[in-house]
Amino acid sequence: MSTLTTSREWLALQAHREDIQTVHLRRLFADDPARAERFSIEAAGVFLDYSKNRVTAATMEALMALARARGLEEARDEMFSGAPVNITEHRAVLHRALRARSDETILVGGENVVPGVRNVLEQMRRFTDQVRGGSWKGYRGQPISDIVNIGIGGSDLGPQMVCEALRPIGHPRLSMHFVSNVDGAQLADVLNRVNPETTLFVVVSKTFTTQETLRNATSARSWFLDNGGGQEDIARHFVAVSTDARRVAGFGIDPDHMFGFWDWVGGRYSLWSAVGLSIALYIGMPAFAALLDGAREMDEHFAAAPLEQNMPVILGMLGVWYRQFFNAGSHCIAPYAHRLNRFPAYLQQLDMESNGKSVTRDGRPVSGATGPVIWGEVGTNGQHAFFQLLHQGTDVVPVDFIAPLKADHALDDHQLLLLANCLAQSEALMRGKTADEVRAELSATGMAGDELEELVPHKVFPGNRPSNTLLLPNLSPHSLGALIALYEHKVFVQGVIWNINSFDQWGVELGKRLAVDIVAELRCDGLGHHDASTRALIERVRVSLKG
Ligand code: G6Q
């Protein structure tokens, strides 16, 4: 593939960037009364207003020309067909098969994977019905009251985020707990709150080799055995989700109580598979199916809509625009829904682990910047913390405002206040406040002269700061499924433009490897080859552990 930054389409965008440099969004709105309508789109129940971006029709045209020239349509079709597009791991990338219709055929190595997906969903349905209905009993004959999901990264962030988001439809008898960190404080706190007689541990690990998860699962099993449970009761209190039945059996979990998935499901794309077992336990299989339906609708939109009217493509290309041509090193996610408080963390992994790469698919250094830092916090909390920098800081930080329109509680007025704040923030970022407007405002309070003039520069907002607004009808399984799939595909779009492999994660390997060495060194007196700083730190930790 040709070098990105010397391509004709790239150079055209670069030149266009010069044209748009001095144009203020206020001006663009004033000049085009149809702007909001022109730059809005709806798909799978998600409404996107992207009119508060520093773009014109010409910008969007040039961005789509770049997308075409980079082979986006072909790359999407290739991924959807089951080809091994994860080239460094020789794997297909088929999270979309996890939400496919039962009569679809999706081939991997000549085999249709859809029947296997459906079988696991059926296994999940039987199990979740038993637990939720109370016929799956703990070792003293009581129904399950607490579910502890033990997993990390992709085996934690998605299930946790979704359970939190959909709490109002969670089973009233079930309390959900998530343990990921090898810091025992997290597990200890959960174990202090639950009763071994009524707790179900769901151990989730694609590889079943992850240090943190195996340590936590082993400690949970010891706690269970030390607190009344017997060896013969483990089968009723521990189930596993993994691709590796042999290791699951080796750990002591009955393979009959294992829920499988496949190597073509990447960890951060796996909540739709059996990795979502905790979600299904909490919200029930019909709601889990609605989550899959929402994602499938977004898949269908992504697969079929022309690029110009394709929501993941639009979001992805806007991200490329700011990353490359405005040097925007970060992107803020601001959900105006408290139940989405884990969504920024979830997207952080999805985006940064996928597109935090600096070599192309053919192993050469990339020619420009790739994935931005993803961060964020729910509104309105963020407004009282970091929004100052968004409004008046020196960097351009694009923001995604995400808001469900309907609340799932009956507290009067809260939803109106929440949504008003969401709309006000995007308007303020876009409009800003000029020196003249500040002067008029201050004069109206009676201020004048030097006192007024000294204050003016501090109260000026440059505006022209870009944002997207995403509105969902409500926070239902369907709209959440569509929203998550939207971001999955957005990340894919950007990976194609940058010609990187969005589906591997070699960058997490080195630290893991070194940790294994240091664990061994902390356990004995030997010391491997380290720099002086690490050696001294190891010695210090060793002394403390012995003390
Ligand atoms: C996700 C990553 C990573 C992974 C965890 C847990 O895409 O690969 O976050 O999910 O390291 O791995 P296991 O599920 O194998 O324990």
Side-chain angles (χ1 to χ4, degrees), residues 16 22 81 124 163 185 247 318 352 378-379 392 500 510 537 547:
H16 177 67
T22 52
S81 76
M124 288 167 69
C163 286
R247 286 185 197 275
L318 287 169
M352 293 167 73
V378 287
Q392 290 187 310
I500 54 182
L510 178 61
L537 291 168

Side-chain angles (χ1 to χ4, degrees), residues 51-260:
S51 62
K52 294 191 184 85
N53 279 289
R54 295 182 62 178
V55 296
T56 61
T59 324
M60 295 312 293
E61 221 172 274
L63 285 170
M64 295 308 156
L66 177 67
R68 286 208 167 81
R70 299 299 281 174
L72 176 59
E73 287 151 309
E74 295 79 1
R76 172 199 61 195
D77 295 349
E78 203 186 359
M79 174 176 74
F80 273 29
S81 76
V85 298
N86 176 356
I87 44 169
T88 60
E89 296 179 305
H90 313 289
R91 288 175 182 166
V93 174
L94 275 178
H95 33 285
R96 76 120 181 159
L98 300 168
R99 48 231 191 185
R101 290 181 201 281
S102 53
D103 57 358
E104 270 190 76
T105 300
I106 302 173
L107 300 175
V108 175
E111 192 197 329
N112 182 12
V113 297
V114 176
V117 168
R118 289 282 148 177
N119 286 344
V120 175
L121 286 173
E122 178 52 26
Q123 186 196 2
M124 288 167 69
R125 189 193 58 71
R126 283 196 303 271
F127 178 63
T128 56
D129 281 356
Q130 284 177 355
V131 173
R132 290 166 58 83
S135 61
W136 183 281
K137 302 232 181 344
Y139 65 88
R140 290 220 192 277
Q142 290 164 277
I144 297 299
S145 62
D146 291 84
I147 303 211
V148 181
N149 188 95
I150 298 180
I152 195 164
S155 299
D156 167 73
L157 287 159
Q160 191 182 1
M161 179 273 287
V162 174
C163 286
E164 183 74 21
L166 300 178
R167 191 194 294 253
I169 59 164
H171 195 291
R173 194 186 66 242
L174 297 176
S175 295
M176 306 303 294
H177 312 270
F178 289 84
V179 175
S180 52
N181 203 328
V182 78
D183 181 346
Q186 194 185 18
L187 178 62
D189 284 355
V190 169
L191 296 181
N192 275 335
R193 289 202 299 272
V194 299
N195 175 354
E197 296 168 13
T198 57
T199 297
L200 175 71
F201 292 93
V202 180
V203 184
V204 188
S205 177
K206 181 175 171 181
T207 54
F208 233 75
T209 59
T210 304
Q211 185 194 59
E212 293 92 330
T213 301
L214 294 186
R215 182 68 256 169
N216 279 322
T218 305
S219 298
R221 185 178 53 190
S222 303
W223 171 86
F224 177 76
L225 294 173
D226 291 347
N227 285 276
Q231 199 67 43
E232 66 288 359
D233 303 319
I234 286 190
R236 304 210 61 77
H237 290 268
F238 285 80
V239 298
V241 177
S242 185
T243 56
D244 195 329
R246 200 177 48 82
R247 286 185 197 275
V248 168
F251 180 84
I253 294 181
D254 185 345
D256 283 348
H257 296 159
M258 171 184 142
F259 298 79

Side-chain angles (χ1 to χ4, degrees), residues 240-480:
V241 177
S242 185
T243 56
D244 195 329
R246 200 177 48 82
R247 286 185 197 275
V248 168
F251 180 84
I253 294 181
D254 185 345
D256 283 348
H257 296 159
M258 171 184 142
F259 298 79
F261 61 114
W262 307 270
D263 71 358
W264 41 262
V265 182
R268 53 194 174 276
Y269 299 87
S270 66
L271 70 87
W272 323 98
S273 70
V275 170
L277 184 63
S278 293
I279 303 172
L281 283 162
Y282 193 40
I283 66 175
M285 239 12 223
F288 190 75
L291 185 79
L292 301 183
D293 286 348
R296 187 181 58 242
E297 269 185 48
M298 189 55 79
D299 294 341
E300 288 169 354
H301 164 76
F302 180 51
L307 300 190
E308 289 72 13
Q309 284 133 43
N310 195 310
M311 198 182 285
V313 176
I314 292 169
L315 275 190
M317 295 312 294
L318 287 169
V320 169
W321 177 232
Y322 294 119
R323 184 73 190 101
Q324 249 73 40
F325 298 100
F326 291 77
N327 198 24
S330 86
H331 189 113
C332 176
I333 304 295
Y336 276 64
H338 201 78
R339 298 195 197 287
L340 285 178
N341 66 72
R342 295 296 296 164
F343 196 62
Y346 170 78
L347 280 192
Q348 218 161 42
Q349 184 196 25
L350 177 68
D351 199 315
M352 293 167 73
E353 206 166 57
S354 298
N355 287 345
K357 312 280 164 69
S358 49
V359 293
T360 61
R361 288 168 66 83
D362 33 22
R364 285 187 300 220
V366 293
S367 59
T370 59
V373 173
I374 302 292
W375 61 287
E377 173 62 81
V378 287
T380 58
N381 293 4
Q383 291 173 210
H384 300 267
F386 55 78
F387 268 55
Q388 163 65 39
L389 182 146
L390 301 183
H391 286 290
Q392 290 187 310
T394 49
D395 286 333
V396 173
V397 182
V399 185
D400 286 358
F401 291 96
I402 303 168
L405 291 170
K406 289 257 181 298
D408 54 36
H409 57 79
L411 294 175
D412 202 20
D413 223 27
H414 286 256
Q415 189 67 4
L416 182 147
L417 294 175
L418 179 71
L419 293 174
N421 272 282
C422 178
L423 303 187
Q425 288 300 322
S426 67
E427 185 175 31
L429 285 167
M430 185 279 283
R431 283 183 61 79
K433 199 190 276 181
T434 64
D436 284 346
E437 286 169 344
V438 174
R439 274 190 199 97
E441 224 176 69
L442 292 177
S443 309
T445 67
M447 198 183 276
D450 286 353
E451 193 195 4
L452 181 148
E453 284 305 327
E454 274 164 23
L455 199 50
V456 168
H458 298 280
K459 298 198 76 158
V460 167
F461 287 60
N464 216 12
R465 306 226 156 174
S467 68
N468 296 304
T469 300
L470 289 145
L471 300 178
L472 313 177
N474 52 13
L475 201 47
S476 65
H478 184 280
S479 49
L480 183 60

